[in-house]
């Protein structure tokens, strides 16, 4: 098989020939159809995560067909259409797992980081890390939903917002363009906030009821004119963008951060106290969360805007993603 390998931290990708891997007793082998290229893959490419062993095949937005099944696997069969996201499996025995909180597993695996991922024609994945992929979602459309999709969908559905509430999405990019669609489909009064005024028409087409150009007006004031936001989903990895919307939450409002800035975020504690508001974070989801995301996306015809690349062009796909030139997700089409 062909695989795109990072030989060592900071090195360029190498597309190499490898033996097709055999699944362990608790794993399945996936014949990969598509794999998304995500900003978190930089942890492997640039060596920003402790304990990564090299060479490593990145990729945690994997969609394909089950090609072989380990001898202890009963939940999946050859031919099943599956996906694997960031959460690459759990131990079942640590205290969080015993409480059913698999996302906080103390011994969690990470697809494409602690084991080889989907930048390859085949990969093996623990059976508990798999989500069933609906047949009406193409592999290219499904792949980004296993990271950007589950992150935004799961954050919104675990918030306190209810249909009719005002929900703002900060950033109309790789995460935000999906967040806008999920917020609209969930029945929220959806506000898209962006520093890119050229994204106004796209945001409205995706379901936003309002668009706030943050280069021209204070987004917090705009949200207060709408009565204050119940939830602000912050997808832009910018401390300034997060700080600018804290004053826009209403009573019991919450700023939910899924885009991680590289610097501390100043917080207007007085406004949080006055509104009984909060600032919280949300990180992705486990396999069942991913499957819920895929099923809801299929039901409401929510798909990402994505550019596709051949495996041989993995370096170009990664560079365009890192330089924010891909619109809006980059996907390897195998």
């Amino acid at each position: 098989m062909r695989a795109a390998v990072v030989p060592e931290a900071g090195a360029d990708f190498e597309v190499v020939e490898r033996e097709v891997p055999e699944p362990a007793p608790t794993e399945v082998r996936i014949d990969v159809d598509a794999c998304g290229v995500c900003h978190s893959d930089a942890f492997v490419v640039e060596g920003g995560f402790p304990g990564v062993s090299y060479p490593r095949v990145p990729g945690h937005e994997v969609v394909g067909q089950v090609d072989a099944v380990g001898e202890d696997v009963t939940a999946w069969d050859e031919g099943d259409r599956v996906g694997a996201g960031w959460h690459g499996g759990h131990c079942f025995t640590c205290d969080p797992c015993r409480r059913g909180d698999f996302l906080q597993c103390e011994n969690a695996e990470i697809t494409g980081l602690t084991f080889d991922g989907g930048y390859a024609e085949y990969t093996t994945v623990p059976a508990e890390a798999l989500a069933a992929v609906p047949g009406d979602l193409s592999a290219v459309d499904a792949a980004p939903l296993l990271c950007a999709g589950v992150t935004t969908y799961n954050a919104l559905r675990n918030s306190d917002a209810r249909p009719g509430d005002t929900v703002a999405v900060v950033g109309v990019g790789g995460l935000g363009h999906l967040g806008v669609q999920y917020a609209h489909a969930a029945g929220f009064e959806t506000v898209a906030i962006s520093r890119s005024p050229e994204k106004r028409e796209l945001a409205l087409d995706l379901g936003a009821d309002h668009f706030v150009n943050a280069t021209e007006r204070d987004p917090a004031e705009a949200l207060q004119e709408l009565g204050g936001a119940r939830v602000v989903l912050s997808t832009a990895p910018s401390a300034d963008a997060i700080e600018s919307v804290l004053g826009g939450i209403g009573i019991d409002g919450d700023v939910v951060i899924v885009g991680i800035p590289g610097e501390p975020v100043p917080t207007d504690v007085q406004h949080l106290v006055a509104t009984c508001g909060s600032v919280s974070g949300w990180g992705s989801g486990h396999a069942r969360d991913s499957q819920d995301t895929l099923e809801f996306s299929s039901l409401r015809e929510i798909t990402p805007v994505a550019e596709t690349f051949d495996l041989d062009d993995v370096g170009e796909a990664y560079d365009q993603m890192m330089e924010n030139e891909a619109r809006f997700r980059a996907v390897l089409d195998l």
Side-chain angles (χ1 to χ4, degrees), residues 24-315:
T26 58
E27 295 178 337
V28 306
R29 185 171 66 210
I30 301 175
D31 182 349
V32 180
D33 292 325
C35 184
V37 179
C38 178
H39 196 279
S40 296
D41 295 335
F43 286 128
V44 177
V45 178
E46 299 173 12
F49 198 93
V52 178
S53 60
Y54 295 90
R56 176 61 75 221
V57 178
H60 59 270
E61 300 177 356
V62 189
V63 175
Q65 315 285 330
V66 174
D67 173 72
V69 178
E71 59 186 26
D72 293 339
V73 175
T74 59
W76 305 98
D77 296 310
E78 291 183 21
D80 286 346
R81 194 161 185 250
V82 296
W86 175 265
H87 183 76
H90 40 272
C91 70
F92 295 98
T93 58
C94 69
D95 195 54
C97 280
R98 293 182 65 199
R99 297 180 185 278
D101 191 0
F102 300 130
L103 195 58
Q104 300 300 325
C105 174
E106 296 171 358
N107 306 294
E109 300 285 347
I110 301 175
T111 309
L113 199 152
T114 61
F115 61 89
D116 285 336
Y119 287 20
E121 292 176 330
Y122 294 89
T123 190
T124 56
V125 177
E128 74 273 12
L130 297 177
V133 178
D136 59 350
L137 282 175
S138 73
V140 168
D141 284 342
L145 301 181
L146 291 161
C147 186
V150 67
T151 297
T152 51
Y153 174 75
N154 219 17
L156 287 172
R157 73 168 178 170
N158 282 281
S159 75
D160 291 331
R162 296 294 179 266
D165 286 346
T166 299
V167 170
V169 179
V170 181
V172 185
L175 290 166
H177 87 287
L178 289 167
V180 168
Q181 293 182 75
Y182 290 129
H184 170 73
F188 304 138
E189 183 174 357
T190 304
V191 185
I193 300 173
S194 175
R195 296 184 62 84
S196 301
E198 68 274 10
K199 292 181 179 178
R200 180 180 185 277
E201 291 305 317
L202 171 66
L204 296 177
D205 288 344
L206 294 175
D209 300 292
H210 313 276
F211 180 84
V212 176
N213 177 0
T215 62
E216 292 185 347
R217 64 177 312 194
D218 182 347
E221 290 183 359
L223 292 176
Q224 288 299 337
E225 289 178 7
L226 294 170
R230 190 71 168 89
V231 168
V232 178
L233 181 68
S234 182
T235 71
S238 163
D240 289 342
I242 296 169
E243 182 185 11
S244 72
V245 296
L246 289 174
I249 59 174
I251 297 173
D252 291 327
D254 186 16
V255 176
V256 182
I257 300 170
V258 295
I260 304 172
E263 61 279 339
V265 180
T267 304
D268 182 355
V269 176
Q270 181 174 338
H271 184 71
L272 295 181
V273 171
T275 58
C276 295
S278 61
V279 179
S280 61
W282 192 268
S284 190
H286 52 65
R288 182 64 242 192
D289 296 324
S290 291
Q291 186 165 324
D292 291 345
T293 302
L294 293 165
E295 290 170 352
F296 184 81
S297 300
S298 172
L299 179 69
R300 290 292 176 252
E301 299 182 344
I302 294 172
T303 55
V305 177
E307 295 185 29
T308 59
F309 298 82
D310 292 332
L311 185 61
D312 288 333
D313 298 323
V314 61

